Amino acid sequence: MKRIAVLASGRGSNFQALIDAIRDGYLNVACAGLVTDNPGAYAIVRAREAGIPVRVIDYSLFSTKEDYEAALFSVMQSLDVDLFVLAGYMRILGPRIVREFSGRIINIHPALLPSFAGLHAQRQALEYGVRVSGCTVHFVDEGMDTGPIIIQACVPVFPGDDEESLSARILEKEHQCLPWAVRIVCEGRFRIEGRRVLVNEGNDTKNIAPGDTAHRPGKDRNPF
Ligand code: GRF
């Protein structure tokens, strides 16, 4: 069975989506640990409830970013996992970590990349005035939110939206896309050609375009 670890800095609702997907048997992986830079992260409570080991690397206790990264690097190595999932991890991973675990780190971002990379993606989308936004799960490379895209799903942006309402609509898609992407990656059902991640979809998507809500099957975890 493949082993994953999750890096999260806060609320951890995407982490919870992974816990639930493992519990329901949708994801046949073991979660070997939660790593967090924030001792106050609610994700820690979720990990404890699910019996998942927690490693806190409190960013505020390190005098330099390099020292923090060195501690994170050794924790990541010691976890001995196939895949690291950044689920609301609010820091940029340094090049040493990205290189060491190349192809084995994925991230979820609350916008349709390459639009609105970085912080406050939902606010950026609203301020820009886009009519559609969404989420992206991608491999992590040395840039900021620039790695090859595994899956995207879109949501409408309504005239009355504020950051909170748009974030909530996107979050629902995030909770579907992240388990889906972890499953595809852990089952090895993809290959990368240049920037393109070619997914062997099997029966998972039935070739339905992302965001085509008319075909959305409802309760199952298919994000399309
Ligand atoms: C999500 O919107 C994720 O896309 C972004 O940070 C947020 C984390 O939410 N990177 P949660 O901690 O998973 O609830």
Side-chain angles (χ1 to χ4, degrees), residues 125-137:
L126 279 173
E127 284 172 358
Y128 198 89
V130 293
R131 304 297 293 266
V132 173
S133 191
C135 66
T136 304
V137 183

Side-chain angles (χ1 to χ4, degrees), residues 1-8 12 14-23 27-35 43 46-48 50-55 79-87 178 182 186:
M1 190 188 275
K2 290 278 168 68
R3 287 160 58 83
I4 67 167
V6 174
L7 277 73
N14 279 291
F15 174 43
Q16 187 68 50
L18 294 174
I19 293 170
D20 294 347
I22 292 169
R23 207 171 265 158
L27 266 183
N28 188 25
V29 303
C31 186
L34 168 75
V35 182
R46 300 182 192 272
R48 298 238 155 93
I52 294 168
V54 177
R55 301 294 299 269
L79 281 166
D80 190 26
V81 297
D82 301 284
L83 183 68
F84 292 98
V85 182
L86 310 189
L178 191 58
V182 170
C186 286

Side-chain angles (χ1 to χ4, degrees), residues 8-17 43 46 86-90 107-111 118 121-122 134-136 145 167 170-171 174-175 178:
S9 302
R11 182 179 55 184
S13 70
N14 279 291
F15 174 43
Q16 187 68 50
R46 300 182 192 272
L86 310 189
Y89 177 69
M90 302 311 283
N107 178 49
I108 183 148
H109 182 75
Q122 302 94 329
C135 66
T136 304
D145 299 327
S167 299
I170 293 172
L171 198 61
E174 294 186 40
H175 295 165
L178 191 58

Side-chain angles (χ1 to χ4, degrees), residues 43-121:
I44 295 172
V45 175
R46 300 182 192 272
R48 298 238 155 93
E49 277 170 4
I52 294 168
V54 177
R55 301 294 299 269
V56 179
I57 311 168
D58 184 347
Y59 190 84
S60 67
L61 300 180
F62 292 85
S63 41
T64 66
K65 183 172 189 315
E66 288 67 37
D67 290 350
Y68 166 79
E69 282 272 324
L72 178 60
F73 184 85
S74 61
V75 166
M76 287 174 78
Q77 261 186 335
S78 71
L79 281 166
D80 190 26
V81 297
D82 301 284
L83 183 68
F84 292 98
V85 182
L86 310 189
Y89 177 69
M90 302 311 283
R91 299 184 186 282
I92 309 241
L93 291 175
R96 181 173 171 225
I97 289 179
V98 173
R99 272 181 224 138
E100 173 72 18
F101 303 104
S102 168
R104 292 199 286 136
I105 310 175
I106 65 174
N107 178 49
I108 183 148
H109 182 75
L112 295 174
L113 293 171
S115 294
F116 315 126
L119 291 176
H120 309 299

